[in-house]
Each structure stands twice: as C-alpha cells, then as structure tokens.
Amino acid sequence: MQHEKIIVMDFGGQYNQLIARRVRECNVYCEIYSYKRDIEEIKAMNPKGIILTGGPNSAYEADSPTYSKELFELGIPVLGICYGSQLMMHLLGGHVCKAPVREYGKIEVAVDRSSAMFGDVSEQTICWMSHNDYIEKAAPGFKVTAHTPDCPVAAAEDPERGLYALQFHPEVLHTQEGTKMLSNFVYKVCGCKGDWRMDSFVESSIEAIRAKVGNGKVLCALSGGVDSSVAAVLLSKAVGQQLTCVFVDHGLLRKNEGDEVEAVFGPSGPYNLNFIRVNAQQRFYDKLAGVTEPEKKRKIIGEEFIRVFEEEAKKIGAVDFLVQGTIYPDVVESGVGGESAVIKSHHNVGGLPDYVDFKEIIEPLRDLFKDEVRKAGLELGIPEYLVYRQPFPGPGLGIRIIGEVTAEKVRIVQDADAIYREEIAAAGLDRSIGQYFAALTNMRSVGVMGDERTYDYAVALRAVNTVDFMTAEAAEIPYSVLQKVTSRIVNEVAHVNRVFYDCTSKPPGTIEFE
Ligand code: GLN
C-alpha cells in the first residue's frame, strides 16, 4: 500500500529532522530530501504536502540555496519555515532583507485564528524564533496571519494556492503550540487522513525486505545493541532461515557483554537467528596499535568489521545482502544525504570502505529515531529490558578511550564502567538517565596512594538526558552517588587515580568522546 507522504525539502536548517519527526507523530509518513532534488522527482513521489526548512543563508543573496518557482504552482500545499518562508516570499515577489532587530529564542506571537493553521491555537502564543533576516513585505496575494512587535510578518498565507509561511519554528518544542500547527497543516491544509503508524512500519518493512531479498541470503551484523537487535529480529521475521547473524566480539565491548549477547541471541536463546560469534579481539587491537586520531580509529574499526563479515560470509557460502542497524541520527551526523555539516562519521555510514564484498547493504531503520526504533522493537515482541538497553555505539569502547587503544586501557574502562553502571542502578537512576558510561581520558596525573606516589589515568564519567539523541544535557547525579562511584573506581580499578564528571551538554559536546 502506498502511504500518504509529506516531503521535507532540506535547506540546511538545524532542526530539519525534527520536522519529519513531528509530521510522523501526526501519523503521516514523511521523508527528507535535499533542495537539490529535481522537481520532476518530487512530483513523481506524489506528496500530499511539501515543507521547506530553515537554513543559514539569506534568501536574497545570489548564491543562496533556491528552488524553481514551479514548486508553488503544482497544486500541492507548501509550508515554508524560517528560511523556507523567506525563500517563498522572495521568489514570489515579496521583500526579504536584513531585520533591524533580530529575534532569537522564545517570542510571543499574535496569530489570526481565522487561519487554518491557527484555528485551535491561542491568540497570543509562545514561538521559537531564530532569524537575522525578515519578511518586510509579504508577496502579492498573501495575507499576513501573525506578527510580533519586531516582526511584521511572522506568518502569511495564500490559502487559494495552498501556500503557507512561518517565520518561527513550529517543529521545536519551545514553540508551545507548534505540534498543533504542523498537524493543522498536514490534516486541514493537505487533507491527509493519517495512515501511517509504527506497526505499519514493521509490516511494510517486512514486505519491502521480502520483495528486495527474494531467495537471497542475508547476513546481519548483530552487536546486541538496540538498533542491530531490532534490525535482526525484523529481518528474521521477513526472511527466516535465509538470515545468518554474526556477532563480532571486537574486544571493545562492555564488561561481560559478549557472553550476555550470546546468551540472548545465541542458540539457547528465544530467537532463531543462526547466530555465529566471532572472537576477533586481538585482530582489532593489532590494527588499532599506535593509532590516536578519532576518525581514523572509527574507520579502522568499521573497516575491520566489514572484513570479518566478509570472511564469515565466505564460510557460509554466497551472501547477497548485508544488514546494518543504522538509524536516522547516525545518517544526519555523518552528513550523508543531507545539507547539514559533518559532525562525525558513523561506523555504519561514513566508515564503509569503498570495496564491500556484498551485493547490497540493507538498512531497515535508516529513517527512524531512537525512540521510534524502540517502539518498533516492542511491536516485534522484543523484551522490554533489551529494547530499553543503554545505547552503545558500534566502535564501542574504541571511542570512549581517548588516544591509542590497548588491551590494558580496555580493561580499565570496562571495570570503571561496570562499577558506574552498578551504582547508578543501585541508586535507582538507571531508567531516568538517558545514557551514562565511563570513558578513559588520555591524561595521567600524580596522586598518592598508600604513601606512595602514583602516576595514573583519569576516568571521566558521562551521563546525559536526551529525548532524541540529537541534543542532550548533562544529568544532575546526586553528589553522594558520584562520590561512591569515585571511591570505588580508584580503589578497585588498577591504574586510575582520578575521576571527573563531564558537565557538558550536546551541543557543544557530543555524547561520546571521539
Ligand atoms: N538565515 C535566515 C535568517 O537569518 C534563516 C534562519 C533560519 O532558517 N533559522 O533569517
């Protein structure tokens, strides 16, 4: 079945993925494409509506991202947000220029409730603004439907042509009634019925995977993390015995994790995944010896992963497809396919070597956010304790050890991390904190222990709260808990004499360290 679809055209804004996210929360399927996509391709996708995102440029400058005016004549409703709204006005004959007063943050906006966008919205409503330019004059045919003291055109529309413009960002939760506005666009303006649900994601993925794979053999990279577990179970539902799951113990897993994963997904567990465990620890340590540069480490780990899979694939005969549990934030941060800047290459995305010995890679979760993946996991009947597992990145402890990776450093960070997790759980905080782990800094400093001088490593503790893993804040862990963890780590873990707590949010930090 063909689902109703909204298309988001990416002009390089910071919150584009959130737009798609909010639309999906309205039960309408949504995809993001670059503004460079040809209009013929957009037409062929037959969208119910199109949303133009924000972006860093100024619409009136010659080399700024732009689009064919024809987009506004297709008879498909278009909503411009921030840069998107400015571009719409600029292209259709309005006037956009540098604003005398720029607006940033929460601003009270007066809206006209006779607009379909604002019918159920308060007359004065708090919206999130972030702009230096503004629409001084709306384009001919448009009616102004919202303003602020500093912004004469905070919203405008031409309902006859189905064109809507918002200077603020409805997708950001700081815009208190933003979800209502997006829902109004999708339902009232575009006439969607809401035919997309998480369970239809599972169903339609199974159908799509079957159609693609046919009788082919599939190899899945199972790490035991939430994403790859959901991908593996989804594949096993789709193609059953054609699937083999390979679990590589790369020696960069958390303490005892290899055995735990084997216990759940191995032959004695509840699933039928044709599970193979490869113990490749030493191989990875050898490759990583002497390497300190984070991107290089990620690439080496990603590449070695693929090599190990190739070897396994050869043992089980010809393999046609390789499955990976890449999810949407991985794709965005790697700067693949989007207009946003590269933050770091993901081991499933940017780290792929040019030559891969499989016919094709399948990434069934590529369009989902973490919490959507969890919903799909529950839908597939995966037990809650697995679905709500701590996220753990593909390169594992390799990117929680700053600088060179050695077996000894792995042992240190494993032990420190195990203590940290134990104490967080003992304090009853394990479900309320989004993600928490120990990392090993590359710093050694002087300490004193048993009257003797020490010169040992410092462990960093990280704990963040986040909804979508795109932004995060350091968690406020009670000091007594931090104290207990600190004293246990310095006492129980050899070669650690200092413990730090990382207070940085994301941005400007990232959740992981490298
Ligand atoms: N660059 C434009 C401005 O400063 C648009 C900003 C945005 O889309 N957030 O007004």
Side-chain angles (χ1 to χ4, degrees):
M1 182 185 108
Q2 185 68 25
H3 288 293
E4 300 167 332
K5 187 191 284 183
I6 297 285
I7 285 181
V8 173
M9 306 279 313
D10 178 359
F11 286 90
Q14 290 296 300
Y15 311 111
N16 300 347
Q17 60 287 346
L18 287 179
I19 302 175
R21 170 62 187 276
R22 300 284 167 249
V23 172
R24 286 184 209 175
E25 280 169 356
C26 298
N27 294 320
V28 174
Y29 187 66
C30 185
E31 284 176 357
I32 305 181
Y33 293 97
S34 163
Y35 74 91
K36 292 174 189 146
R37 262 311 159 114
D38 193 79
I39 191 156
E40 291 307 320
E41 285 180 70
I42 298 294
K43 273 203 283 199
M45 291 184 234
N46 195 23
K48 298 285 281 185
I50 295 169
I51 300 179
L52 313 180
T53 74
N57 303 81
S58 288
Y60 47 82
E61 264 160 21
D63 51 355
S64 292
T66 185
Y67 208 78
S68 156
K69 246 166 70 174
E70 205 195 314
L71 186 73
F72 305 112
E73 291 151 16
L74 299 175
I76 301 169
V78 180
L79 170 65
I81 295 176
C82 205
Y83 183 79
S85 71
Q86 297 168 355
L87 184 67
M88 181 187 284
M89 293 303 149
H90 177 73
L91 290 174
L92 295 177
H95 191 245
V96 178
C97 58
K98 191 158 186 57
V101 181
R102 71 187 199 111
E103 291 176 299
Y104 188 81
K106 291 181 187 172
I107 311 273
E108 195 171 58
V109 177
V111 305
D112 175 351
R113 299 178 60 193
S114 69
S115 159
M117 293 290 288
F118 304 130
D120 51 357
V121 167
S122 324
E123 256 168 42
Q124 299 281 337
T125 184
I126 300 289
C127 298
W128 177 261
M129 293 274 198
S130 171
H131 64 121
N132 301 311
D133 297 335
Y134 79 153
I135 301 164
E136 189 192 53
K137 202 165 163 291
F142 278 82
K143 176 182 174 201
V144 174
T145 51
H147 66 274
T148 76
D150 291 317
C151 183
V153 187
E157 63 187 40
D158 181 348
E160 241 150 68
R161 286 188 284 171
L163 303 180
Y164 294 78
L166 300 177
Q167 177 59 70
F168 52 85
H169 290 270
E171 71 278 19
V172 174
L173 290 179
H174 300 303
T175 298
Q176 278 166 9
E177 298 176 276
T179 305
K180 274 189 204 167
M181 298 172 195
L182 285 173
S183 162
N184 287 340
F185 177 69
V186 165
Y187 284 99
K188 303 226 166 84
V189 175
C190 302
C192 289
K193 294 188 188 65
D195 66 2
W196 193 77
R197 301 260 175 322
M198 219 43 229
D199 54 348
S200 63
F201 166 81
V202 169
E203 265 168 51
S204 53
S205 300
I206 288 177
E207 274 170 42
I209 290 166
R210 280 188 187 141
K212 186 168 191 173
V213 169
N215 297 321
K217 267 200 183 173
V218 185
L219 182 61
C220 176
L222 181 65
S223 71
V226 184
D227 307 336
S228 73
S229 303
V230 171
V233 174
L234 188 61
L235 259 293
S236 97
K237 295 243 152 125
V239 300
Q241 286 301 322
Q242 287 157 255
L243 172 72
T244 303
C245 284
V246 171
F247 167 57
V248 175
D249 190 335
H250 53 16
L252 302 165
L253 298 169
R254 287 166 291 200
K255 196 172 181 177
N256 300 330
E257 194 165 25
D259 297 341
E260 283 165 19
V261 170
E262 186 170 352
V264 177
F265 293 105
S268 50
Y271 306 105
N272 187 5
L273 299 178
N274 292 320
F275 179 89
I276 297 171
R277 177 175 178 171
V278 189
N279 288 311
Q281 293 90 332
Q282 198 53 48
R283 225 174 121 158
F284 281 84
Y285 296 154
D286 290 345
K287 284 267 168 183
L288 287 168
V291 182
T292 55
E293 211 273 306
E295 282 299 293
K296 208 164 165 207
K297 280 159 64 175
R298 283 177 175 267
K299 292 236 153 81
I300 289 174
I301 297 167
E303 201 158 318
E304 199 57 14
F305 240 92
I306 298 286
R307 296 290 159 253
V308 174
F309 280 119
E310 279 175 344
E311 286 168 27
E312 274 324 299
K314 287 198 182 105
K315 284 187 209 157
I316 50 180
V319 165
D320 306 291
F321 299 93
L322 176 70
V323 183
Q324 291 196 317
T326 317
I327 68 168
Y328 192 69
D330 306 331
V331 180
V332 179
E333 293 196 341
S334 292
V336 177
E339 294 305 322
S340 33
V342 179
I343 310 298
K344 59 192 174 189
S345 71
H346 188 265
H347 118 98
N348 281 340
V349 185
L352 279 181
D354 299 336
Y355 173 73
V356 180
D357 200 8
F358 301 99
K359 200 157 92 190
E360 220 177 308
I361 290 191
I362 307 182
E363 296 175 313
L365 311 177
R366 203 182 159 90
D367 293 326
L368 302 190
F369 287 88
K370 196 82 184 183
D371 51 331
E372 294 177 304
V373 174
R374 292 199 164 118
K375 265 199 227 164
L378 294 176
E379 190 67 46
L380 284 164
I382 301 176
E384 265 195 42
Y385 75 94
L386 281 180
V387 165
Y388 287 100
R389 224 173 162 191
Q390 287 259 334
F392 189 60
L397 299 179
I399 54 170
R400 292 180 183 174
I401 293 172
I402 304 193
E404 189 188 7
V405 175
T406 64
E408 142 103 322
K409 283 184 173 174
V410 170
R411 195 266 315 152
I412 293 175
V413 77
Q414 276 180 339
D415 287 346
D417 182 68
I419 291 171
Y420 187 32
R421 283 189 288 138
E422 228 174 275
E423 292 300 332
I424 290 287
L429 299 170
D430 51 333
R431 268 303 263 279
S432 58
I433 302 175
Q435 190 178 354
Y436 53 96
F437 58 85
L440 188 60
T441 73
N442 207 18
M443 184 199 93
R444 285 198 289 170
S445 65
V446 174
V448 55
M449 229 176 179
D451 282 346
E452 250 186 90
R453 178 189 193 270
T454 58
Y455 187 63
D456 282 328
Y457 285 110
V459 161
L461 303 178
R462 181 86 165 127
V464 294
N465 286 322
T466 174
V467 178
D468 49 23
F469 293 87
M470 299 300 296
T471 59
E473 273 171 6
E476 288 182 32
I477 297 183
Y479 192 64
S480 56
V481 177
L482 288 176
Q483 237 173 353
K484 179 129 191 245
V485 175
T486 303
S487 99
R488 279 197 61 196
I489 289 176
V490 290
N491 283 307
E492 295 173 35
V493 185
H495 299 300
V496 175
N497 65 359
R498 247 174 240 274
V499 176
F500 293 126
Y501 186 68
D502 184 350
C503 302
T504 324
S505 56
K506 168 186 180 172
T510 57
I511 295 175
E512 298 291 342
F513 277 60
E514 287 201 326

